[in-house]
Amino acid sequence: MRFQIFAARTAFAALLLAVLAGIGAVAGVRLGLLTDKGGRTLMLPAVGLGLAALALALLWLRLALARNEGEGKRMGLIALVGALAFLYSPLLYVYYGYTALPIHDVTTDPGNPPQFVALAKINPANSRVFEGSRKIPYKGEQVTVAYALHEEYPLLTKPHVGLLISPQKAFWRSHSAVQKLGWTIVDFSEKDLRIEAIDKSLWFGRISDIVIRVRPAGSIGVRVDLRAESRDGEFDHGRNAARIKAFFREFKF
């Protein structure tokens, strides 16, 4: 019974330390006290403590069920639920790091991607040139970024075309979708049928630049294309593709 209480208390303590380390990493990056790399480095022991909290909480649960005793249940249950909640985001980030395409720039039109205008004046760490011909590993082969995008995201790279709608109406519907998604609009031009916006990641506030291009398609149609590029970092862990998917869930012709 004493070991059961010890497991619950230790799990709870490990969770508290994990949360404090995580808060320190996020706050440090957000306040400019740590670099992005420094924040990620500090998150490593935070995740390790979170895993320890989860393991100890599961041990407490096993002992509690085996003995049919609820000693330490408050701290044990808090540690169990808290560790699962705390670990969800960083472990998902790691998962997508292994499964998502090793890219940082995603577009619905790899052959003719939308171009930044207002955001082109910013000089990010990543190039503004869409490297569609760059080779990356994909399913055991070396293929171009453009090919991998078509294969991995066929619903994104198919032409997004609407009929019997004016380009101006599609432009303002795009503008409305951006607002609903909570992206920050940096510039827009109804004349050029272009919208530029930014979005930040939840934890470290990593910035992705987004450009939306609307153009006529035939005599009675309109086509909408997007491009989302991370300002820094070699890989986006699937986040830019997720942003484009979210836009088309919100946008309707």
Side-chain angles (χ1 to χ4, degrees):
M1 188 176 296
R2 288 181 179 179
F3 186 71
Q4 181 177 324
I5 296 175
F6 173 79
R9 289 175 176 174
T10 308
F12 184 75
L15 175 63
L16 285 180
L17 291 173
V19 171
L20 288 174
I23 290 174
V26 173
V29 174
R30 290 277 189 168
L31 295 174
L33 302 175
L34 292 173
T35 63
D36 186 80
K37 183 178 180 180
R40 282 185 280 120
T41 300
L42 186 55
M43 278 300 295
L44 291 176
V47 172
L49 286 165
L51 290 171
L54 179 61
L56 288 165
L58 289 172
L59 176 60
W60 165 82
L61 181 62
R62 182 171 180 270
L63 293 171
L65 292 175
R67 297 172 178 176
N68 197 26
E69 292 285 347
E71 294 292 333
K73 64 179 179 181
R74 179 176 296 179
M75 287 184 289
L77 287 173
I78 291 175
L80 179 61
V81 176
L84 290 171
F86 176 79
L87 290 169
Y88 175 77
S89 184
L91 292 184
L92 192 66
Y93 178 81
V94 172
Y95 170 77
Y96 281 118
Y98 282 102
T99 59
L101 294 179
I103 58 177
H104 60 267
D105 195 354
V106 178
T107 179
T108 58
D109 188 359
N112 182 25
Q115 299 299 313
F116 296 104
V117 178
L119 289 170
K121 299 173 184 177
I122 300 172
N123 294 315
N126 289 327
S127 171
R128 287 302 191 197
V129 177
F130 179 74
E131 300 175 318
S133 59
R134 179 170 62 91
K135 293 292 185 70
I136 60 171
Y138 179 68
K139 295 184 178 180
E141 300 180 75
Q142 289 291 319
V143 302
T144 64
V145 170
Y147 176 86
L149 284 173
H150 282 299
E151 288 295 307
E152 188 72 10
Y153 305 115
L155 295 180
L156 286 190
T157 56
K158 72 173 186 179
H160 296 274
V161 177
L163 298 177
L164 301 177
I165 179 174
S166 69
Q168 286 72 26
K169 184 173 288 187
F171 170 85
W172 287 112
R173 288 182 182 177
S174 299
H175 189 280
S176 177
V178 168
Q179 290 181 315
K180 290 178 181 178
L181 289 168
W183 299 348
T184 301
I185 296 176
V186 175
D187 186 48
F188 65 94
S189 171
E190 185 178 11
K191 177 183 177 182
D192 298 331
L193 300 174
R194 171 183 45 81
I195 302 170
E196 295 182 63
I198 64 171
D199 186 39
K200 294 183 179 181
S201 65
L202 178 63
W203 283 57
F204 290 155
R206 294 189 184 97
I207 298 175
S208 281
D209 295 321
I210 304 159
V211 57
I212 301 170
R213 178 185 66 198
V214 181
R215 54 180 172 164
S219 57
I220 58 172
V222 64
R223 175 170 175 168
V224 177
D225 284 295
L226 272 76
R227 179 183 173 190
E229 181 191 20
S230 302
R231 285 192 183 176
D232 53 37
E234 189 177 357
F235 309 133
D236 65 9
H237 294 247
R239 287 175 173 167
N240 288 320
R243 288 182 173 99
I244 296 177
K245 290 177 182 178
F247 173 84
F248 282 109
R249 284 196 298 268
E250 195 66 48
F251 172 84
K252 304 296 179 185
F253 282 108

